[in-house]
Amino acid sequence: MPPQLATSGDGARIAYDVTGSGPPVLLLHGGGQTRRAWHDAGYVSRLSSELTVICVDLRGNGDSDKPDAVDRYAIDHLVDDILAVADAAGAQTFALWGFSYGANIGRYVAVRTGRVRSMVYIGIPFGSATPGPFREMILGLRTKWTPVVAAHRDGTFDDRLLSDDDRRAWQRGAVPVTLAWLGAMLDYPIINPADMPCPTLWLVGSANADAMASATAHKAGLDGTEVSLTILDGLTHAQELERVDVTLPHALAFTRAHGH
């Protein structure tokens, strides 16, 4: 399906598609994915008879613009992107489902805008946007690739100096953009369950070690917050999205219970 395009506050074009009819739900994909992930896993076809399903390519991905400067991925811009899509699609308020990176971004939309009626938060911790090992991974990538990107920009780059694997990674063309969006996340503020202003379903696969550690740490403190936790038995992080037969019933029942 060819995308529609919304223009964000800084001029970035954000691609999205709309399927079905009914109350709106925005679906935000994981890191390195595109809006097609929701189609391919079967969510859109199952939801579109009941909901207006709006799938977004987060900036840097899919058919959306792909700036390669870190400041273009500041969280204010990402929130503006989602609101620009919602406005273009006629969704004044909406349910929001996010998987992995999409959940990370979506929680800021919920906290900052008042337009999210309910959220399904799939497969990541609360707290820092870049916890522990994830932060170390980003810092390692930045140390490795920043000199390469700089050399490319000033005309001194020689890909013969790269290993075969690194040369292939560079030739795929995504390294500068990936460094930008990952690096921006290092400065995103902490959000904990108590900060969520809307009913939020936290779905965590029991084989997703990082999210399970966060779920265990926060579980006792969820009473009195808007966040409820459901453990998906046996699911890895990838399966939290892929196993539509397990994830969708929980997510849809929650969204229905909170006025779509």
Side-chain angles (χ1 to χ4, degrees), residues 198-235:
C198 63
T200 301
L201 176 62
W202 188 9
L203 293 176
V204 175
S206 66
N208 177 347
D210 291 341
M212 277 299 300
S214 181
T216 299
H218 285 288
K219 185 175 182 179
L222 294 180
D223 287 349
T225 76
E226 293 283 0
V227 177
S228 56
L229 171 66
T230 295
I231 304 300
L232 306 175
D233 189 42
L235 268 56

Side-chain angles (χ1 to χ4, degrees), residues 165-190:
D165 286 347
D166 286 350
R167 187 180 304 111
R168 284 190 289 269
W170 178 262
Q171 290 171 347
R172 285 193 289 270
V175 168
V177 172
T178 300
L179 281 186
W181 67 260
L182 284 173
M185 293 178 71
L186 297 170
D187 295 323
Y188 289 5
I190 288 171

